[in-house]
Amino acid sequence: MKSRDTLIRLRRFQVDEKRRRVTQIEMMMADFLRMAAELDREVAQEEGRAGISDPAHFAYPTYARAAAGRRDNMRQSAAALEDQLAEAKAELGEAFEDLKKVEILEDRERSAERAAEAQRDQAAMDGIGLARARA
């Protein structure tokens, strides 16, 4: 019984850890996309100031070119995290299934124990009833 409680605690810890990992990846993706959107605005502002929006133009602003490069890198990083997120979600699902299996097993064992206890109590009551009926 004690080892099963330990196993349940371990499985819950694993589920919580996987859930934290999923949340962390989602937050990183959101940060990358937010930073990419900010860089997008900066590029648009710089292009507006210079009056040139064609990156192939010889007088295209250097800052806009650099910011666009950083923006593209942020988007690529967010896209790369999508694979990690899918994997982390799959691991979370597996950990959750493992936890549920152990919890169901625990519930079945407790139900069997309660049924056996109820049967013992009923047998004791029956014994008392028979003893009174004979007296």
Side-chain angles (χ1 to χ4, degrees):
M1 185 70 148
K2 197 164 188 96
S3 65
R4 182 149 309 129
D5 291 339
T6 304
L7 183 61
I8 288 174
R9 279 198 322 257
L10 174 65
R11 297 289 189 226
R12 284 184 182 152
F13 175 78
Q14 289 173 340
V15 166
D16 290 341
E17 192 64 30
K18 303 289 183 192
R19 191 175 290 137
R20 278 190 287 274
R21 177 76 175 134
V22 167
T23 303
Q24 181 183 28
I25 292 172
E26 289 173 341
M27 288 174 43
M28 287 172 52
M29 287 176 65
D31 284 344
F32 286 154
L33 293 175
R34 180 187 48 77
M35 287 187 276
E38 288 175 11
L39 288 169
D40 234 355
R41 283 189 294 277
E42 289 181 19
V43 167
Q45 286 175 346
E46 191 65 25
E47 287 175 348
R49 271 188 233 133
I52 301 170
S53 59
D54 180 18
H57 192 275
F58 73 93
Y60 188 76
T62 306
Y63 178 75
R65 190 180 317 274
R70 286 195 305 274
R71 176 200 59 208
D72 294 342
N73 286 341
M74 291 290 173
R75 288 183 181 154
Q76 288 174 357
S77 296
L81 285 176
E82 287 179 8
D83 293 336
Q84 290 182 20
L85 179 61
E87 183 179 321
K89 283 183 176 181
E91 289 175 4
L92 174 60
E94 291 172 9
F96 189 72
E97 287 176 12
D98 290 344
L99 172 62
K100 284 300 164 194
K101 286 177 188 176
V102 174
E103 287 179 341
I104 288 170
L105 186 60
E106 177 73 12
D107 287 344
R108 285 182 186 163
E109 186 176 292
R110 286 187 180 164
S111 294
E113 288 174 2
R114 283 193 297 267
E117 186 177 332
Q119 197 172 24
R120 284 192 301 271
D121 290 347
Q122 186 62 43
M125 295 303 247
D126 290 346
I128 293 171
L130 283 176
R132 286 193 172 188
R134 289 185 186 148

